[in-house]
Amino acid sequence: MSNDPVTDYIIRAAQSRGIDPNVALRVANGEGGVKNPFRHGEGPAPRSQAPGLGPLENSFGPFQLYVSGTGAGLGDRAVAAGIDPRKNWQGGIDFALDEAKRAGWSQWYGAKAAGITGRMGIGGEPGPSIAATMAPSAGPAPAALGDVVAPAPVVPSAVAALPGIGDAVASFMQNRQQREQSAANEHARRQQLFGDLGSLYG
């Protein structure tokens, strides 16, 4: 565990619901974060907000449950179910994850901003493991191309599991091969023009 009570609670609550805790934490960190379990939204209050609820957006906790006072927000539904996220952060997390399990992540802007859509990470659905799958592999050192340095190749090991990513990776790799061929052609051209001096340019 992490020695952070909010993070640890989200991990346990997510696992107990069959939700990938890494996905749940990415959503929470894209919303209210895990530093203050009672975090009050910092954005301006929406025009639809009922009078008397204050000048700030009334979203609370790691998953920013919105209490509008009109019944329209996720926080309103939590309050109606007997869970007030303004006073009970654990209950707010439980309610948010129950909602995610029931209806997916579409109710959270922070999920969309993190590339988490639909039911990613819920009930065995693959999550967006971009960081793990897009890490550069241990390969040859970058090759100098004039004043440009080519990066080490990216190996998309599990990227194909994400919708549409396989095509993007294939296109990227094809473009990379074209760039490498162009660089080789340029190197040959410089050798032809400058002879031994061409080595100074890559």
Side-chain angles (χ1 to χ4, degrees):
M1 288 292 174
S2 69
N3 294 326
D4 169 31
V6 179
T7 297
D8 291 347
Y9 192 88
I10 291 171
I11 290 169
R12 286 193 306 272
Q15 288 173 332
S16 72
R17 290 164 173 81
I19 297 174
D20 182 339
N22 294 314
V23 174
L25 284 168
R26 282 181 66 179
V27 174
N29 282 312
E31 289 284 334
V34 296
K35 302 237 184 278
N36 177 2
F38 294 105
R39 183 169 182 257
H40 189 185
E42 296 172 359
R47 280 187 287 233
S48 63
Q49 182 171 293
L53 287 179
L56 295 177
E57 178 187 336
N58 282 297
S59 297
F60 297 90
F63 289 94
Q64 291 290 277
L65 300 182
Y66 178 50
V67 180
S68 69
T70 64
L74 199 52
D76 292 313
R77 290 180 15 223
V79 170
I83 300 164
D84 190 340
R86 297 168 290 192
K87 301 174 185 170
N88 178 358
W89 63 268
Q90 294 99 331
I93 289 169
D94 289 334
F95 185 84
L97 294 176
D98 285 341
E99 274 295 306
K101 182 176 180 179
R102 182 186 69 77
W105 298 111
S106 63
Q107 299 178 82
W108 285 274
Y109 295 116
K112 185 177 180 182
I116 298 168
T117 58
R119 300 184 60 79
M120 285 183 173
I122 299 172
E125 290 289 322
S129 54
I130 299 297
T133 59
M134 296 301 281
S137 67
L145 304 173
D147 57 353
V148 178
V149 175
V154 173
V155 178
S157 57
V159 177
L162 299 174
I165 294 294
D167 293 338
V169 170
S171 175
F172 171 80
M173 296 304 281
Q174 182 179 8
N175 290 340
R176 184 168 189 272
Q177 289 170 346
Q178 290 170 349
R179 287 193 308 273
E180 288 174 348
Q181 184 59 49
S182 294
N185 292 344
E186 177 63 15
H187 180 74
R189 185 185 71 82
R190 289 179 182 182
Q191 284 289 343
Q192 192 174 31
L193 287 173
F194 301 110
D196 291 336
L197 292 176
S199 62
L200 296 174
Y201 296 97

